[in-house]
Amino acid sequence: SSSSSSSSSSERRAVVLLGRRRRLAVARGAADPAHSGIVDESFVHGSSLVSTGLAPSSPSSPSAPLSERIGIMGVHHVAVIVENLERSMAFYEKMLGLAVNPDRPHDKLPYDGAWLMIGPEMVHLMELPNPDPTDAEFRPVHGGKDRHFCIGVRHLAPLIETLEREGVPYTASRSGRPAIFFRDPDCNTLEVVEGLQWR
């Protein structure tokens, strides 16, 4: 019938359109280094990344642990939510002295942010609404009992001197290690440990 023919034609057009949109999304990712390997999230499902060639299949045995099959190389970055980027930059860049990574443009995301280097890794500051309490009154007094990320350093004393000078509270690790915990202006917890023997 004419109605079933029209329906089939519409379905074919929809499939063609979907294919074009997928190719365009992949092409955009290939053309823009900042988005290399990114596919429109509406198309990411199942094995779609493998099928587009953006995620080649692993050479490891299917029976190997997943961590081995995907080839984990390390922690790329940690991300923290901040209320005011300027205030957080004063803390992370000016007080702690973390350098901004110029190769990570902040204008590629729909919110303000910054990427700062922590040795070879990074911390990503994201100016977004925070689902967690940002009042220290509602967080554990000791940062070691809260969500946190840890930075290894060679010398802890200069940091302690700076925190005391700037009036930033900190607590010592309860394990006896040369490590301290303190919070940024949004109550995100940082741990800093002296030496890398803890690894």
Side-chain angles (χ1 to χ4, degrees), residues 47-61:
S47 59
S48 60
L49 287 180
V50 174
S51 65
T52 60
L54 295 177
S57 56
S58 169
S60 302
S61 166

Side-chain angles (χ1 to χ4, degrees), residues 4 9 11 13 17 19 50 56 64 71-72 86 95 99 117 142 164 169 191-192 198:
S4 60
S9 177
E11 290 173 358
R13 283 197 299 272
L17 178 59
V50 174
I72 291 178
E86 184 177 354
M95 191 187 83
M117 300 304 300
H142 179 51
E164 291 180 346
E191 177 184 7
V192 178
W198 56 274

Side-chain angles (χ1 to χ4, degrees), residues 9-198:
S9 177
S10 297
E11 290 173 358
R12 284 195 298 273
R13 283 197 299 272
V15 170
V16 171
L17 178 59
L18 179 61
R20 287 175 179 168
R21 288 180 62 190
R22 178 174 293 149
R23 288 195 296 275
L24 285 172
V26 174
R28 281 199 302 271
D32 185 353
H35 285 82
S36 178
I38 294 179
V39 177
D40 187 312
E41 64 180 4
S42 62
F43 301 129
V44 177
H45 59 86
S47 59
S48 60
L49 287 180
V50 174
S51 65
T52 60
L54 295 177
S57 56
S58 169
S60 302
S61 166
S63 61
L66 178 59
S67 58
E68 182 180 317
R69 286 184 282 137
I70 63 178
I72 291 178
M73 297 183 291
V75 175
H76 183 271
H77 71 274
V78 295
V80 296
I81 294 176
V82 303
E83 180 182 16
N84 183 292
L85 183 61
E86 184 177 354
R87 180 181 66 177
S88 295
M89 290 297 284
F91 181 88
Y92 284 93
E93 182 183 24
K94 292 185 173 63
M95 191 187 83
L96 295 182
L98 302 184
V100 174
N101 183 353
D103 297 325
R104 300 292 298 186
H106 64 81
D107 59 349
K108 298 296 183 181
L109 295 171
Y111 51 82
D112 287 336
W115 298 81
L116 299 104
M117 300 304 300
I118 310 176
E121 285 81 36
M122 295 176 286
V123 58
H124 184 196
L125 305 182
M126 306 184 299
E127 191 176 277
L128 290 169
N130 198 332
D132 292 328
T134 56
D135 189 329
E137 179 183 354
F138 302 105
R139 306 295 285 267
V141 174
H142 179 51
K145 294 183 177 180
D146 202 350
R147 287 185 291 274
H148 63 275
F149 63 93
C150 182
I151 302 171
V153 300
R154 291 189 178 90
H155 310 290
L156 195 56
L159 172 62
I160 293 175
E161 293 170 4
T162 298
L163 295 178
E164 291 180 346
R165 184 179 66 247
E166 298 294 329
V168 178
Y170 66 89
T171 55
S173 171
R174 305 294 169 83
S175 68
R177 295 174 302 133
I180 61 172
F181 295 83
F182 59 98
R183 297 182 184 277
D184 73 4
D186 295 276
C187 278
N188 296 303
T189 306
L190 292 78
E191 177 184 7
V192 178
V193 60
E194 184 175 275
L196 297 177
Q197 295 85 351
W198 56 274

